[in-house]
Amino acid sequence: ARRMASSSFLKPFFLLLIMMCLGLEWGGFPALSYYLHTVIEEVEIPLDPYLVAIFLSAYRAILVLFLSPVINKYPRRRMYLSSGVVVAMALLLQSSYNFLAHYIPQPIQLYTRWTPLLAIVMQYTGFSMGWGVLGYNLLGEIMPSDLRSQGSALLGIIQNLALFSSVKMIPVIISSFGPGFLFGVYCCSITFVIATAAFFMPETKGMSLEDIEDMYAEKSSELKEDENDSKKPKESI
């Protein structure tokens, strides 16, 4: 229990908690997984919802096959932030269009009605670029080795609770405020995760697990030394 209260465990744990719960479960992906047909109808994509679902599933599968080797070639932090920006832009586009669609003149709507489909494709692209997998990679890297199983189990429980709340709130938000508000919430969630990762996500590419663990241990020990130094009485001159 004392070990789990140390900063060497809490820092990576809360970073992963934000990435998993807000970045994935409250990032719009459960809406596409569990309510894709409903979302397609609500955003008024001018195609049969089942055909769109088949196209999106095939696109995502092909994208994963092509991008999986690329993800490992580049720094993880850069790939995570880049993919997050793509996801955030897709959600912002989706939300903005749903709020402003009624103000677009009818002749222009013949071209802009494809915007929701484009936004979903962008969202899947960002997910496959690394947003969906790099958090799990980081889980096996930055958690302390002696607490990795406990931390993973606790993260799994909290993530499932976040998934449950996200899925249950989707129809409530759509019926009460509309799809534009729903995707706006997701956009804010992704933006917060990107900002958090920009400040606190370490770059682990090329580092061994021992080096990563030592990095967090050194940071916590440095903080303790600073606290001890501040408690020492100052010598009078």
Side-chain angles (χ1 to χ4, degrees), residues 95-205:
S95 177
S96 301
Y97 178 79
N98 279 275
F99 277 124
L100 301 175
H102 300 291
Y103 302 100
I104 300 175
Q106 285 293 334
I108 301 179
Q109 285 189 16
L110 294 175
Y111 306 99
T112 59
R113 61 182 181 172
W114 299 101
T115 302
L117 179 60
L118 173 62
I120 295 177
V121 169
M122 286 178 59
Q123 188 176 347
Y124 273 136
T125 302
F127 183 89
S128 302
M129 284 174 57
W131 189 261
V133 70
L134 288 176
Y136 292 101
N137 288 354
L138 210 62
L139 174 61
E141 293 176 344
I142 66 175
M143 291 291 290
S145 57
D146 58 329
L147 294 173
R148 191 165 295 151
S149 58
Q150 296 93 323
S152 299
L154 187 57
L155 275 171
I157 294 171
I158 300 175
Q159 186 179 1
N160 282 325
L161 291 175
L163 173 61
F164 176 80
S165 64
S166 175
V167 171
K168 287 298 182 181
M169 289 301 296
I170 290 170
V172 175
I173 296 177
I174 289 179
S175 60
S176 301
F177 305 102
F181 184 85
L182 176 70
F183 287 102
V185 171
Y186 293 152
C187 183
C188 293
S189 177
I190 294 293
T191 303
F192 177 76
V193 177
I194 293 173
T196 303
F199 284 101
F200 300 107
M201 180 180 179
E203 178 53 66
T204 58
K205 183 175 176 57

Side-chain angles (χ1 to χ4, degrees), residues 1 15 48 58 74 93 160 199 221 231 236:
L15 173 62
D48 183 86
Y74 294 96
L93 179 64
N160 282 325
F199 284 101
S221 62
K231 292 179 181 178
S236 58

Side-chain angles (χ1 to χ4, degrees), residues 21-49:
C21 295
L22 296 182
L24 294 179
E25 311 309 344
W26 277 92
F29 302 104
L32 299 182
S33 298
Y34 296 95
Y35 290 93
L36 181 58
H37 186 277
T38 303
V39 170
I40 293 172
E41 290 183 337
E42 288 291 334
V43 299
E44 300 179 355
I45 295 176
L47 285 175
D48 183 86

